[in-house]
């Protein structure tokens, strides 16, 4: 039996023929298993959806209650059988509710990582290594230039800039699911106790994080504030809002972005970012390599990102490796979520 | 080194000109001599460190990083110094090296051999953090790319000292890094450096593009017209002092480019400052810009190059002669003096840019259209007869009126990642037109689109790749699927570079035609007919 008998790409997404289901499909399918709530992985219109409780809740928040016909909550670490294929969800450490999905069939185990990171994050359950034969990994930051620094150091830059520029509103572009909430937690851990202001697009997901028991400290709405306000304050917004006319209404806005892409100067400049913070919810080059080795997998499939370099490295380690060339992944990640 | 690294880091992320100025001024106030002078020289591109070359840095990194991974990383990051700074394996050397000083780096490297250079760099890279590594590599390679021109750096000096920038310009070419004499003068601690020791650059007068509505208000009788040559704008300054002769050629931005064009030196009259276009001229025939391009940015000029692509000056203004400043005089008086000077010199490499006589705007438009026959002419220049020579881009005096470009619908065939500002995006596109049932490439374009359009183009490439050849991706180009690009170009030439036998001049993406199928794109016959008519 070949691993591709258990899982292979189709135009709709990664498909499991014996189980007759898809993992993170790009188009509506009868049965989908979803790793996490980012829109390039969690799309509306499927028949049955299985995901962690948090991912289901986030999908309902962002896509509407009718995002699928039937929902099934995956209990973390518990194996269930779908058409003879054993399936289990394990934490991926990417955002709240994010999971890897393990498939077991006829003695073969494949783990689909979805998106993941290895750094500690108080807003997401930590990544759990699952031993497998085939590891399907992302490669958003699969180049040796990507090494994410300590987030505390990056947050320190933001706090220093507040001191240095008390007359300017600090607008931080951070993706609405995951990055924004994690950034708030890092600010609290650094002792920042002022209210953090939120763009409207961040309110619902952030409220949901708090409902699950993640303490985020004082938060305030940015909507309805008079022109020229928020000097010396932090306002979180979706990255796309940084370039909006909306952002110009605050006091001499200083453009900040929190993303792994900020490690490359041209990327920051292309987006007009004045203060780049390298904070990512994806594994960096070291994290990807460490994880691949720890899973013990002899075969690595690379879904999206800088697949060429990671495949090259795997081959050098004596691991079988190939890119999957799934179209459509990483679009949200490339623009915002990374 | 730390203060300099912080300065470069801030400049690289600061889009606003005034804030850039503020950062430089603050650095000049806080940093000691001679560090700050060297930093200034680096910002102006005035440092040349022979012991370090990019190829040597590549070799250094190749000893430490898998070359394939380095290649892919460089391809993504798009900047050699930054790639090396990010990828350099961090190692704790346990050394207690004293903090590195900018002046120490430069003086050590200037006295180092080509063999010692790499060893020094490697040791420093081991001791620095990422920003420090990046700043060091930027400094030693001289390619800063932080959005600071030599002009902006001098403006910072003006702001720092309270002296008008024109005063600084007058002495600038007489001073050398680390500029301790200049800084002493600007801080009121020393005498003014003597600019007569060197020839200085004068800010050139620039033109505005003419708009259709301008013709309604402007009177033809008030204007002098001449061809707009497709070369590079230069200022040629000469001085004879007894047996000694000094000649400087400055680019439009004031860079000294004298060493690239030794063949022009003897053609210049003495004690004069001439404004004109540098062109390649074979006998009296002016060649196209692509011929001139071979000659640009060369420190060493080969004999073959001097023979095959000799340059000439197409003179169109005279700023100074025998110590007399002509800039306040009206244009016809300056031109009369220039004509006399050119005639007296009687050298084939010094030409007077001829006037284009005209009675009406319609008549001039007709001449402009006809000028398409001459690929060395971009259009016409219109200069008010009563205009003095004013630095900068004053309104209402000089206009440029370029020819209307040609347009063709082409299909994207291949894409490659760009460098610099566009790095990590697919931004270099090869496109083609139909020849029978097949598409044949006719050109490459890497500008003309907005940043927003670039993202769309990049996404199209990544989602429609059908083949990879190293860094080049082939994208789908079938009659019913693919991307149609409306290409604007300034002319068409026969060429052996593309299979189609045609080459476009200045091709750029005019519009992205998502509303068209590739089957609707132009055919090679259409382009060939343009070749005949143009």
């Amino acid at each position: 039996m070949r691993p591709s008998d258990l899982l292979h790409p189709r135009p709709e997404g990664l498909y499991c023929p014996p189980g007759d289901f898809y993992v993170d499909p790009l188009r509506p399918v009868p049965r989908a298993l979803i790793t996490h709530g980012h829109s390039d992985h969690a799309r509306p219109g499927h028949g049955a959806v299985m995901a962690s409780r948090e991912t289901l809740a986030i999908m309902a928040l962002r896509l509407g209650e009718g995002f699928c016909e039937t929902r099934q909550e995956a209990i973390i670490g518990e194996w269930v059988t779908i058409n003879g294929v054993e399936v289990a969800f394990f934490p991926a450490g990417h955002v709240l509710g994010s999971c890897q999905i393990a498939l077991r069939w006829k003695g073969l185990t494949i783990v689909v990582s979805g998106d993941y990171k290895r750094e500690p994050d108080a807003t997401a359950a930590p990544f759990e290594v699952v031993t497998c034969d085939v590891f399907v990994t992302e490669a958003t930051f699969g180049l040796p230039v990507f090494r994410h620094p300590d987030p505390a150091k990056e947050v320190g830059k933001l706090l220093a800039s507040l001191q240095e520029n008390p007359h300017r509103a600090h607008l931080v572009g951070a993706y609405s699911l995951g990055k924004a909430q994690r950034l708030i937690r890092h600010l609290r851990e650094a002792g920042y106790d002022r209210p953090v202001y939120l763009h409207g697009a961040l309110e619902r997901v952030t409220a949901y994080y708090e409902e699950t028991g993640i303490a985020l400290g004082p938060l305030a709405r940015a909507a309805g504030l008079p022109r020229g306000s928020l000097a010396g304050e932090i306002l979180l917004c979706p990255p796309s809002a940084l370039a909006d006319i909306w952002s110009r209404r605050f006091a001499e806005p200083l453009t900040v972005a929190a993303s792994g892409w900020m490690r490359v100067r041209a990327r920051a400049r292309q987006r007009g970012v004045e203060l780049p913070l390298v904070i990512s919810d994806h594994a960096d080059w070291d994290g990807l390599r460490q994880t691949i080795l720890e899973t013990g997998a002899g075969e690595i499939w690379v879904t999206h990102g800088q697949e060429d370099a990671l495949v090259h490295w795997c081959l050098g380690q004596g691991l079988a490796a190939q890119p999957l060339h799934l179209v459509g992944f990483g679009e949200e990640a490339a623009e915002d979520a990374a | 080194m730390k203060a300099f690294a912080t300065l470069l880091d801030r400049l690289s992320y600061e889009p606003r000109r005034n804030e850039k100025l503020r950062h430089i001024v603050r650095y000049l106030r806080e940093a000691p001599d001679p560090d700050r002078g060297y930093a200034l020289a680096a910002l102006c591109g005035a440092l040349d460190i022979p012991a370090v070359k990019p190829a040597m840095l590549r070799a250094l990194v190749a000893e430490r990083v898998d070359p394939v991974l380095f290649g892919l990383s460089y391809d993504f990051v798009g900047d050699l110094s930054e790639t090396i700074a990010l990828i350099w394996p961090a190692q704790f050397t346990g050394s207690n090296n004293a903090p590195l000083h900018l002046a120490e780096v430069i003086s050590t490297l200037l006295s180092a051999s080509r063999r010692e250079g790499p060893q020094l760099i490697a040791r420093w890279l081991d001791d620095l953090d990422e920003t420090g590594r990046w700043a060091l590599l930027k400094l030693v390679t001289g390619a800063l790319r932080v959005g600071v021109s030599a002009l902006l750096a001098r403006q910072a000096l003006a702001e720092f000292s309270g002296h008008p920038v024109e005063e600084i310009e007058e002495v600038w070419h007489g001073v050398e890094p680390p500029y301790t004499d200049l800084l002493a003068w600007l801080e009121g601690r020393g005498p003014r450096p003597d600019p007569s020791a060197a020839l200085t650059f004068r800010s050139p007068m620039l033109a505005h593009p003419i708009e259709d509505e301008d013709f309604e208000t402007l009177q033809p009788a008030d204007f002098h017209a001449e061809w707009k040559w497709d070369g590079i704008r230069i200022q040629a300054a000469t001085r004879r002092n007894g047996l000694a002769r000094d000649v400087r050629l400055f680019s439009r931005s004031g860079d000294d480019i004298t060493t690239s064009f030794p063949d022009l030196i003897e053609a210049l009259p003495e004690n004069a400052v001439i404004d004109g276009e540098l062109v390649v001229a074979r006998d009296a025939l002016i060649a196209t810009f692509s011929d001139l391009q071979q000659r640009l940015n060369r420190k060493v000029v080969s004999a073959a190059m001097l023979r095959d692509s000799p340059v000439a000056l197409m003179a169109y203004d005279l700023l100074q002669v025998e110590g007399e400043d002509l800039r306040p005089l009206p244009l016809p008086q300056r031109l009369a003096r220039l004509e006399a000077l050119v005639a007296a010199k009687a050298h084939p490499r010094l030409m007077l840019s001829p006037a284009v006589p005209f009675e009406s705007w319609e008549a001039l438009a007709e001449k402009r259209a006809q000028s398409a026959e001459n690929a060395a002419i971009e259009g016409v220049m219109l200069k008010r007869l009563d205009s003095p020579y004013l630095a900068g881009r004053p309104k209402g005096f000089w206009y440029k009126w370029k020819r209307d470009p040609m347009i063709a619908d082409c299909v994207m065939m291949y894409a490659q990642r760009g460098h610099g500002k566009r790095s990590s995006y697919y931004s270099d596109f090869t496109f083609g037109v139909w020849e029978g049932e097949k598409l044949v490439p006719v050109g490459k374009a890497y500008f003309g689109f907005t940043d927003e359009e670039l993202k769309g183009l990049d996404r199209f490439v990544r989602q429609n790749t059908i083949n990879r050849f190293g860094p080049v991706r082939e994208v789908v180009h079938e009659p019913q699927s693919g991307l149609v690009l409306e290409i604007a170009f300034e002319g068409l030439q026969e060429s052996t570079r593309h299979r189609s036998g045609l080459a476009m001049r200045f091709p750029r993406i005019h519009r992205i035609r998502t509303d068209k199928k590739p089957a609707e794109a132009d055919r090679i016959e259409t382009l060939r007919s343009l070749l005949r008519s143009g």
Side-chain angles (χ1 to χ4, degrees):
Chain A
M1 189 193 61
R2 292 166 307 169
S4 59
D5 294 339
L6 177 56
L7 194 68
H8 63 248
R10 278 197 182 182
E12 296 88 342
L14 268 179
Y15 180 61
C16 171
D20 192 24
F21 59 78
Y22 288 84
V23 179
D24 291 353
L26 307 154
R27 301 181 196 162
V29 298
R31 185 188 275 270
L33 276 56
I34 307 288
T35 58
H36 67 284
H38 280 147
S39 61
D40 51 340
H41 294 258
R43 297 178 194 245
H46 305 308
V49 166
M50 183 176 183
S52 70
R53 180 178 39 202
E54 294 84 357
T55 298
L56 290 173
I58 288 163
M59 288 177 79
L61 271 182
R62 304 178 99 204
L63 306 173
E65 284 296 337
F67 72 89
C68 66
E69 286 165 24
T70 60
R71 305 178 195 176
Q72 182 181 354
E73 181 188 328
I75 309 296
I76 303 303
E78 192 177 294
W79 292 89
V80 296
T81 305
I82 303 175
N83 299 329
V85 178
E86 288 180 275
V87 171
F89 285 60
F90 297 95
H94 176 56
V95 296
L96 180 61
S98 68
C99 286
Q100 317 166 66
I101 298 175
L103 316 181
R104 209 154 65 185
W105 188 59
K106 296 188 179 173
L108 176 80
T109 305
I110 299 182
V111 170
V112 181
S113 71
D115 292 332
Y116 65 97
K117 72 166 174 290
R118 304 301 300 270
E119 294 170 301
D121 173 358
T123 65
F127 183 93
E128 223 169 87
V129 175
V130 182
T131 308
C132 55
D133 303 296
V134 178
F135 184 57
V136 184
T137 182
E138 61 142 325
T140 306
F141 293 115
L143 283 172
V145 286
F146 290 112
R147 288 205 169 82
H148 306 327
D150 178 2
K153 196 182 120 209
E154 298 300 292
V155 165
K157 289 185 196 165
L158 175 56
L159 297 177
S161 175
L162 284 172
Q163 296 274 319
E164 212 178 304
N165 302 287
H167 57 295
R168 301 182 69 182
H170 285 55
L171 268 63
V172 187
Y175 191 58
S176 61
L177 166 56
K179 186 67 60 64
Q181 298 77 21
R182 179 179 171 207
L183 196 60
I184 299 172
R185 271 302 291 235
H186 283 306
L187 282 166
R188 300 308 180 205
E189 283 160 19
Y192 185 75
D193 53 9
R194 297 203 43 80
V196 172
Y197 291 82
L198 298 180
H199 181 279
L202 271 54
E203 290 175 8
R204 277 193 309 174
V205 175
T206 307
Y208 176 69
Y209 266 65
E210 289 187 297
E211 277 170 39
T212 66
I214 296 167
L216 298 176
L219 303 174
R221 307 178 67 162
L225 291 174
R227 288 193 85 77
S229 46
L230 298 191
E233 303 287 353
I234 296 175
L235 163 55
L236 298 190
C237 62
S240 54
L242 288 176
D244 259 14
I245 191 85
W246 166 88
S247 68
R248 300 296 109 188
R249 44 178 293 154
F250 301 100
E252 289 186 53
L254 193 150
T255 310
V256 190
S259 157
W261 297 116
M262 292 301 112
R263 183 130 162 115
V264 175
R265 282 169 194 274
R267 284 270 169 160
R269 283 197 292 251
Q270 280 152 0
R271 286 161 62 166
V273 172
E274 292 163 82
L275 178 61
L277 306 178
V278 186
I279 300 181
S280 175
D281 285 329
H282 293 267
D284 64 3
W285 176 248
D286 294 335
L288 291 168
R289 294 186 304 164
Q290 176 200 349
T291 307
I292 286 169
L293 295 177
E294 285 178 2
T295 62
E299 186 164 345
I300 309 300
W301 297 349
V302 185
T303 54
H304 59 286
Q306 305 300 323
E307 54 268 21
D308 297 350
L310 196 59
V311 166
H312 173 82
W313 177 82
C314 289
L315 296 174
Q317 298 291 309
L319 302 170
Q322 54 166 315
L324 285 185
H325 297 310
L326 287 175
V327 167
F329 273 158
E331 290 309 318
E332 180 171 33
E335 292 304 318
D336 286 330
Chain B
M1 195 67 208
K2 183 139 181 69
F4 177 69
T6 306
L7 172 68
L8 273 199
D9 190 47
R10 288 193 161 149
L11 291 174
S12 112
Y13 291 121
E14 178 55 70
R16 293 165 303 174
R17 191 178 159 282
N18 283 343
E19 289 300 303
K20 281 185 196 278
L21 279 175
R22 198 173 62 86
H23 287 310
I24 302 172
V25 169
R26 193 161 89 178
Y27 175 83
L28 290 173
R29 295 225 162 95
E30 290 170 2
D33 281 325
D35 274 17
R36 57 180 180 161
Y38 283 121
L40 194 61
L43 291 174
C44 294
L47 278 183
D48 178 34
I49 299 177
V52 185
K53 291 287 163 250
M56 181 213 96
L57 297 176
R58 285 168 195 265
L60 266 190
V61 81
E63 291 169 18
R64 290 160 175 83
V65 180
D66 179 333
V68 173
L69 294 179
F70 178 76
L72 289 165
S73 297
Y74 179 36
D75 187 34
F76 187 92
V77 175
D79 180 289
L80 182 67
S81 299
E82 188 177 345
T83 311
I84 296 175
L86 292 176
I87 212 168
W88 192 261
Q91 40 185 264
F92 179 64
T93 56
S95 67
N96 287 314
N97 293 343
L100 202 53
H101 281 280
L102 186 60
E104 183 192 332
V105 168
I106 293 181
S107 58
T108 312
L109 282 178
L110 284 178
S111 60
S113 68
R114 286 208 172 203
R115 198 177 51 79
E116 292 162 334
Q119 297 162 2
L120 287 163
I121 300 283
R123 207 175 70 215
W124 290 329
L125 288 176
D126 284 342
D127 276 354
L128 289 163
D129 66 3
E130 274 158 25
T131 309
R133 290 199 291 265
W134 170 76
L136 173 71
L137 292 167
K138 288 271 150 194
L139 175 75
V140 298
T141 56
L144 295 187
R145 291 204 204 143
V146 292
V148 175
S149 62
L151 187 63
L152 190 74
R154 293 197 289 273
Q155 245 136 15
L157 276 178
E159 203 152 299
F160 159 75
S161 64
H163 286 261
V165 72
E166 292 76 17
E167 276 183 31
I168 296 169
E169 302 272 353
E170 301 275 321
V171 301
W172 180 256
H173 285 279
V175 292
E176 300 264 337
Y179 309 118
T180 31
D181 52 345
L182 175 71
L183 289 161
W185 168 58
L186 291 175
E187 288 177 329
R189 294 183 287 106
R192 177 171 183 262
D194 180 9
S196 69
L199 293 164
T200 57
F201 172 67
R202 290 153 180 80
S203 292
M205 180 161 178
L206 304 173
H208 287 269
I210 200 156
E211 308 289 345
D212 286 345
E213 52 270 28
D214 291 332
F215 292 113
E216 290 162 22
T217 52
L218 302 180
Q219 296 306 314
D222 293 338
F223 282 86
H224 162 87
E226 62 197 37
W227 297 124
K228 184 172 186 338
W229 299 100
D230 192 9
I232 61 165
R233 179 99 180 256
I234 64 161
Q235 194 174 101
T238 58
R239 186 200 350 255
R240 163 77 62 185
N241 191 355
L243 284 177
R245 181 177 192 243
D246 195 8
V247 176
R248 293 287 183 103
L249 304 178
F250 298 109
S251 75
R252 205 183 83 153
S253 53
D255 296 321
D256 188 334
I257 53 171
T258 317
T259 51
S260 297
F261 304 103
D263 40 341
L264 195 59
I265 306 299
E266 61 167 32
L268 299 172
E270 304 301 346
N271 300 322
V273 179
I274 298 177
D275 184 8
E277 201 84 356
L278 185 79
V279 291
V280 163
R282 300 191 183 93
D283 298 322
L285 196 68
I286 311 301
T288 63
F289 186 73
S290 59
D291 285 14
L292 178 61
Q293 230 161 1
Q294 326 274 336
R295 295 284 314 261
L296 301 181
N297 301 319
R298 290 188 184 272
K299 285 187 180 149
V300 184
V301 194
S302 69
M305 210 166 270
L306 291 174
R307 187 187 62 231
D308 299 339
S309 304
V311 294
L313 181 62
M314 195 57 93
Y316 42 67
D317 217 319
L318 184 62
L319 279 59
Q320 188 180 318
V321 70
E322 299 299 341
E324 184 192 350
D325 189 352
L326 305 188
R327 287 177 291 183
L329 300 179
L331 179 66
Q333 290 188 38
R334 300 200 306 275
L335 289 179
R337 301 277 288 269
L338 177 65
E339 194 174 352
L341 197 66
V342 170
K345 181 73 187 177
H347 193 289
R349 315 234 125 258
L350 178 66
M351 293 176 255
L352 185 74
S353 182
V356 179
F358 66 103
E359 297 292 328
S360 64
W361 296 132
E362 291 73 24
L364 188 61
E366 180 53 30
K367 289 193 170 176
R368 181 184 66 123
Q370 285 170 6
S371 74
E373 290 169 13
N374 187 338
I377 294 176
E378 280 189 297
V380 292
M381 294 296 300
L382 289 168
K383 298 178 176 176
R384 271 196 87 90
L385 291 167
D386 58 6
S387 60
Y389 195 96
L390 301 167
R393 207 186 295 274
K395 276 212 163 68
F397 289 104
W398 287 11
Y399 296 94
K400 49 188 168 190
W401 190 16
K402 292 200 188 183
R403 275 200 305 272
D404 293 331
M406 303 173 179
I407 300 280
D409 283 337
C410 304
V411 182
M412 188 196 290
M413 299 176 71
Y414 305 94
Q416 224 176 323
R417 282 189 167 130
H419 283 262
K421 181 172 172 254
R422 301 233 140 127
S423 68
S424 88
Y425 285 108
Y426 284 93
S427 61
D428 291 12
F429 309 104
T430 301
F431 47 82
V433 294
W434 294 102
E435 181 171 39
E437 302 289 291
K438 276 170 41 188
L439 281 166
V440 288
V442 290
K444 263 186 110 159
Y446 46 89
F447 61 98
F449 35 84
T450 65
D451 289 352
E452 215 37 58
E453 285 170 328
L454 172 62
K455 285 184 191 166
L457 288 165
D458 176 72
R459 197 173 306 129
F460 173 82
V461 171
R462 285 187 288 114
Q463 298 188 350
N464 292 281
T465 299
I466 53 171
N467 251 320
R468 293 157 191 239
F469 311 98
V472 178
R473 291 197 177 197
E474 180 174 8
V475 297
V476 62
H477 46 85
E478 303 286 336
Q480 293 307 316
S481 61
L483 190 63
V484 178
L485 303 172
E486 186 177 296
I487 303 290
F489 50 101
E490 290 297 331
L492 212 51
Q493 292 166 334
E494 289 191 78
S495 156
T496 49
R497 203 176 41 184
H498 292 291
R499 228 186 315 154
S500 59
L502 293 175
M504 291 176 173
R505 295 190 64 246
F506 293 129
R508 61 228 183 230
I509 294 178
H510 194 237
R511 270 191 292 177
I512 300 166
R513 299 299 301 261
T514 46
D515 56 321
K516 284 194 173 181
K517 296 273 185 209
E520 300 170 71
D522 278 313
R523 310 195 59 80
I524 189 82
E525 294 79 16
T526 317
L527 288 189
R528 291 222 174 92
S529 69
L530 290 175
L531 181 68
R532 278 190 295 277
S533 69

